[in-house]
Amino acid sequence: SFELTQPPSVSAAPGQTASITCGGDNIGRQSVHWYQQKPGQAPVLVVYDDSERPSGIAERFSGSNSGNTATLTISRVEAGDEADYYCQVWDSVSDHRVFGGGTNLAVL
Amino acid sequence: QVQLQESGPGLVKPAETLSLTCTVSGGSLSTYYWSWVRQPPGKGLEWIGYIYNSGTTTYNPSLKSRVTISVHAAKNQFSLRLSSVSAADTAVYYCAREYGGNARFDNWGPGTLVTVSS
């Protein structure tokens, strides 16, 4: 089954840009979705199909995907962005849904 | 706006069967994929499996031998059964709706903690 690799943690100062990567074999050929999860809460979809934003998600959240790496970029980071972030794909060969291991974003 | 709510026992004994139900309100079960996802304490998300429409299912191979997902259309509910549980199955269990051709989870229940302990 497809495997996704994320760094365990990333940090950014308020106002700066945070980038969270999601690695996988030719992941650029997949559509990648990103979720934000705050402590004690269910995940929330923040980017889908690589770079699309659901209604209600701030424009500060953006995504890209090419080659072996997908990236979630959070511009002008705020304290409220501190959370765990997960990437996810649909493995069309197996029809399985696969999550990355998650990245904790710390806002310094 | 569709809403999902998990329900079921919060404590299950080792070797027994975990049973959870997800009640969907504000929308129909038909034409969507409905999944279960779990998260052990302090760990990441793990997809368990989905059920679609009239009962087509696909499961995570790591759990396939122990998992059954079923639909109760008249009650607008779908359910999870996980047999022969152990402490490793202790987790927050989420139900979620999939949307779109690339299986994104656009709606989640709040989750329910299930602890496996004697």
Side-chain angles (χ1 to χ4, degrees):
Chain A
S1 196
F2 204 74
E3 292 190 3
L4 300 174
T5 301
Q6 297 183 238
S9 62
V10 164
S11 62
Q16 299 301 306
T17 297
S19 295
I20 299 172
T21 59
C22 177
D25 188 28
N26 285 316
I27 194 174
R29 298 183 180 179
Q30 311 270 10
S31 288
V32 179
H33 316 308
W34 291 92
Y35 303 87
Q36 176 193 68
Q37 186 182 34
K38 296 182 178 180
Q41 299 183 18
V44 173
L45 182 68
V46 293
V47 167
Y48 68 94
D49 290 351
D50 297 337
S51 59
E52 301 294 319
R53 267 189 321 276
S55 173
I57 299 301
E59 291 184 9
R60 301 184 298 104
F61 289 83
S62 62
S64 62
N65 185 15
S66 179
N68 294 316
T69 304
T71 303
L72 173 70
T73 301
I74 308 171
S75 304
R76 301 181 301 282
V77 165
E78 302 174 355
D81 298 331
E82 196 162 87
D84 293 326
Y85 291 85
Y86 294 89
C87 58
Q88 178 247 321
V89 300
W90 168 51
D91 181 348
S92 60
V93 174
S94 65
D95 196 26
H96 296 157
R97 287 77 173 129
V98 181
F99 287 98
T103 298
N104 178 258
L105 171 64
V107 179
L108 305 174
Chain B
Q1 174 77 355
V2 66
Q3 292 188 317
L4 294 78
Q5 180 67 56
E6 305 88 351
S7 59
L11 181 64
V12 180
K13 290 182 168 55
E16 294 191 345
T17 296
L18 178 160
S19 294
L20 296 174
T21 296
C22 181
T23 300
V24 179
S25 57
S28 171
L29 286 179
S30 61
T31 74
Y32 289 103
Y33 290 71
W34 302 92
S35 275
W36 287 95
V37 176
R38 72 179 183 177
Q39 184 172 37
K43 296 189 177 181
L45 301 170
E46 179 182 32
W47 173 72
I48 298 171
Y50 76 72
I51 190 163
Y52 172 66
N53 212 0
S54 59
T56 302
T57 55
T58 296
Y59 302 130
N60 187 321
S62 68
L63 299 169
K64 184 177 181 179
S65 63
R66 300 191 292 129
V67 172
T68 303
I69 298 176
S70 58
V71 159
H72 313 282
K75 295 183 178 181
N76 230 35
Q77 296 175 333
F78 63 104
S79 297
L80 169 70
R81 287 174 58 86
L82 181 66
S83 63
S84 304
V85 297
S86 69
D89 295 309
T90 294
V92 174
Y93 286 76
Y94 296 98
C95 57
R97 186 184 79 169
E98 293 186 19
Y99 189 86
N102 293 316
R104 66 184 183 265
F105 299 106
D106 71 330
N107 271 281
W108 297 69
T112 187
L113 174 63
V114 179
T115 302
V116 179
S117 175
S118 55

